[in-house]
Amino acid sequence: MSSPRPGTAGATRTCPHCKTTILESAAVCPACKHHLRFDPNAGAAALNTITPLRVEGSIRHPADGGAWEYCVVLSIRNDRGEEIKREVVGVGAMQPNEQRTFTLAVEVNPSAGKGGKRSTRH
């Protein structure tokens, strides 16, 4: 998979705070929530963000038995079914009678202008 050129829709960069790969257009890191640049429209952009996919589920370890280990794997496929990204996003262990809740959310910001850049007034 090739990376889009800087300034185009889908171009990425690294968050200087948490080192997560994020969209170049982001004014706030979606992972650590640190502000990355001054954007007077950041509040409006957050209001325009929609979540077309959100899945949440919980698992509870039964009271009997030993510890369970878990591995959270995220896989993204294109429209041809080809896997374009696969990543382990977390691992851990659950002791008897413990619970974990997992949430997957895909956030989309449709306010991006032509070519993926936000329009700005000077």
Side-chain angles (χ1 to χ4, degrees), residues 41 119-122:
N41 299 319
S119 57
T120 56
R121 291 172 33 189
H122 298 281

Side-chain angles (χ1 to χ4, degrees), residues 9-74:
T12 60
R13 63 182 170 140
T14 302
C15 172
H17 304 284
C18 68
K19 308 302 182 213
T20 298
T21 300
I22 60 172
L23 289 170
E24 185 180 79
S25 61
V28 177
C29 175
C32 68
K33 303 293 185 191
H34 277 92
H35 287 262
L36 304 170
R37 67 172 180 271
F38 175 73
D39 185 353
N41 299 319
L47 292 175
N48 289 334
T49 300
I50 58 172
T51 307
L53 175 65
R54 181 180 172 90
V55 180
E56 182 171 294
S58 297
I59 56 175
R60 178 172 290 281
H61 188 313
D64 57 340
W68 283 357
E69 292 184 322
Y70 63 87
C71 179
V72 180
V73 180
L74 175 66

Side-chain angles (χ1 to χ4, degrees), residues 1-13 22-26 108-118:
M1 177 175 113
S2 62
S3 297
R5 287 193 340 245
T8 61
T12 60
R13 63 182 170 140
I22 60 172
L23 289 170
E24 185 180 79
S25 61
V108 178
N109 191 338
S111 65
K114 195 174 199 176
K117 285 191 164 186
R118 298 179 194 274

Side-chain angles (χ1 to χ4, degrees), residues 75-84:
S75 175
I76 303 171
R77 296 180 182 274
N78 63 17
D79 56 350
R80 294 184 301 276
E82 301 163 339
E83 191 172 79
I84 56 176

Side-chain angles (χ1 to χ4, degrees), residues 94-111:
M94 295 172 55
Q95 299 302 320
N97 215 28
E98 283 188 326
Q99 179 175 317
R100 297 288 185 275
T101 301
F102 303 91
T103 304
L104 166 71
V106 178
E107 297 176 348
V108 178
N109 191 338
S111 65

